[in-house]
Structure formats: structure tokens, C-alpha cells
Amino acid sequence: MPEAGAGLGVEQARLVDTLAQGGPTLLLLDGANRCRAELGYVISQLLPSVPECTFLVTSDKALGATAEAEVKIGSLKLAKQGSDARHIAAAEAVALFVERDAEARRGFTQTPADLQACAQIVRQLDGVPQAIEIAAARTRALTPRELVERLPRKVTLLEKERRSALAGAVAWSVELLAPWERAALAQCAVFSGGFDVAAASHVLDRAQRAEAPAVPIALESLIEKALMRVSEPPRGAGHWPDDEVPLEERRLDLPGAVREAAEQRLDPGVSR
């Protein structure tokens, strides 16, 4: 095995040293669409020095990296047209929507009519998992049948532009945000590699929006709508039980499709 960091730049050598000391490691890099070639090159350079490190990268195309194994993530199975409630509920795409709906509206039981609406929603979203999660997060304010009335037109129009059910679902969800939520989402897009509440507090400017709540509340609102992710801390880390770690001590990030929408479509409303 080559000496750790041999032939690499200073920053890459530091990364190699860190990874080499950690033993078997899984490094997740989400949303590499805009830097596929560069990332593929860097990973190819790093791999010989960190053979116990596995890089899991999400992107719309392969990176072209050394020893790359491409795994295509397909859509979830949909219920056949005309299926009864039992078969609809058993379909993968509907099951995911119902699961996320139950998290958003605890104690709510789906009726057969609701399941029919869920089947229509996930079919419009082509069974794309993240698109389904974003739509299901909206059931805090809209029932599945109300979503059916509002979702198809929005996503269809947007798909003609982006050719993506996920991009359409993200853009549709963003359209439903309050102005202060859209500004907060756009401002959080400046972060690369995640951030915490303290960092967001330095970036989110509420001065121009009197209705904007405190920063933690604004972030919680975006998390509830599946437009922002919360990374779970290592088990046993810190002074809090695993299920009670406050938001202020967690890492936050934007999913790749949400980041693209925030960067391309939104005006942060203030100077960055």
C-alpha cells in the first residue's frame, strides 16, 4: 500500500490521514451532480491510500472513478389501476406515503378514499421516494384528497421544464412556503457540507421580514416539510439521551434536489 498522502495536495493529505486512522469507514457524499468529474478524480486519487474507506456518492450519473460500482435506484412499485384498498396499501410507493403521512399526522387512519388519493399522488410522482416524502410532509396542512387536487397540475407543468418528478415535487413544495421560509431556505443553500443552528443564525437575516420567527423555529419548519435533513448524532454522544438531542446540537443539511432549487429558483431576499 502506498504511504498515506503520497503525491497528494496538503488538504487531500490531511483527509487521507483522518480516514486512514479511522479503520473501515463509509463516507457519504450526497448530491454530486455538479462536480462529478472533479469528485471522481479526487476519489480515484484517494482510494489507494485509504483502501478501507468506501465512498457512497449520490449523483444523476456515474463519476468515472476508479473501482466505481454504479447502483441505479429505481422508483417504488405502484398499485395497479383499479386495485382495491388492500392492494393499494401493499404497494411500495403507497406504503411509503402512508408511513410518512402517519408521522406527520399522528393517530390519523387512512380511509379507502384516502388510499385511492395516495395512489394517485405517488403515481403522479412516478414512485420517486424523495418526491413522495416531500409530498407526504404536506399532509400536516392538506389531506391526501386535497393534495390530489393541487399536486398534479403543478408537477406536470414543472416536469416539462426539468423532466423530473423529484424536481417538480421540490419546486411545488417550495411554492407553498411562506416568504420567510423561502428566504431561509435560500440563505441556507450557501452552506456546503452541512451546518448547525449557530451557523445558520449568522446567515439567516430576519430584519427584512417582520413575520419571520426565531432561527430554530424557522429551521424546524423546513425540517417538517422534508426540505431539510437532520443528521443523527453518534449514539451516546453528548450529555443527552439519543432521542432527546436538541436541534442546536445536531447537524443540518439540504438534500441535493432541494439545494439545487434553492440555488436556482429562490431569491434569498437579502445580500449574502
Side-chain angles (χ1 to χ4, degrees):
M1 183 183 81
E3 181 181 352
L8 301 176
V10 174
E11 293 301 323
Q12 290 181 346
R14 289 176 180 173
L15 177 58
V16 165
D17 288 340
T18 301
L19 294 175
Q21 294 172 12
T25 303
L26 174 64
L27 185 60
L28 173 61
L29 303 171
D30 183 36
N33 298 352
R34 294 189 177 185
C35 58
R36 288 190 304 270
E38 296 86 348
L39 185 58
Y41 173 78
V42 171
I43 291 177
S44 296
Q45 292 291 102
L46 295 177
L47 277 176
S49 298
V50 286
E52 291 189 293
C53 183
T54 299
F55 294 85
L56 178 59
V57 183
T58 64
S59 176
D60 56 357
K61 295 180 181 178
L63 304 182
T66 301
E68 180 176 10
E70 184 178 1
V71 179
K72 294 185 177 181
I73 307 299
S75 298
L76 299 178
K77 291 183 179 179
L78 304 172
K80 293 182 179 179
Q81 294 277 11
S83 296
D84 58 24
R86 181 172 65 86
H87 287 92
I88 289 175
E92 292 177 345
V94 174
L96 176 60
F97 186 96
V98 170
E99 180 181 335
R100 295 296 182 262
D101 183 18
E103 294 174 359
R105 300 185 294 169
R106 297 192 180 279
F108 182 81
T109 302
Q110 297 280 358
T111 66
D114 289 326
L115 288 173
Q116 290 287 349
C118 293
Q120 288 181 258
I121 292 168
V122 299
R123 186 173 295 110
Q124 181 61 41
L125 297 173
D126 294 334
V128 177
Q130 191 176 353
I132 292 171
E133 293 195 358
I134 290 172
R138 285 292 176 179
T139 58
R140 288 183 171 86
L142 301 169
T143 67
R145 280 174 281 183
E146 290 172 331
L147 277 176
V148 167
E149 297 174 0
R150 302 184 64 171
L151 180 64
R153 178 177 60 85
K154 299 282 188 182
V155 174
T156 300
L157 289 175
L158 289 163
E159 280 186 331
K160 290 179 181 178
E161 176 186 345
R162 294 292 300 276
R163 304 296 180 187
S164 168
L166 176 54
V170 170
W172 166 79
S173 187
V174 167
E175 285 184 12
L176 296 181
L177 295 176
W180 60 265
E181 289 176 309
R182 286 197 292 271
L185 187 64
Q187 291 160 15
C188 286
V190 303
F191 293 109
S192 177
F195 58 96
D196 56 18
V197 174
S201 297
H202 291 291
V203 171
L204 270 62
D205 188 343
R206 299 180 292 139
Q208 298 184 24
R209 303 186 183 279
E211 75 279 14
V215 170
I217 296 176
L219 299 177
E220 287 278 12
S221 181
L222 295 174
I223 292 168
E224 289 178 355
K225 295 175 176 65
L227 296 174
M228 185 174 290
R229 294 180 300 205
V230 182
S231 298
E232 295 296 330
R235 294 187 63 83
H239 307 289
W240 302 86
D242 293 332
D243 58 348
E244 297 179 10
V245 179
L247 184 65
E248 287 76 5
E249 296 195 16
R250 294 176 183 265
R251 294 288 294 174
L252 309 173
D253 197 8
L254 301 182
V258 176
R259 179 181 299 281
E260 289 186 10
E263 291 176 341
Q264 298 174 8
R265 295 176 176 273
L266 299 181
D267 178 357
V270 294
S271 173
R272 293 189 183 184

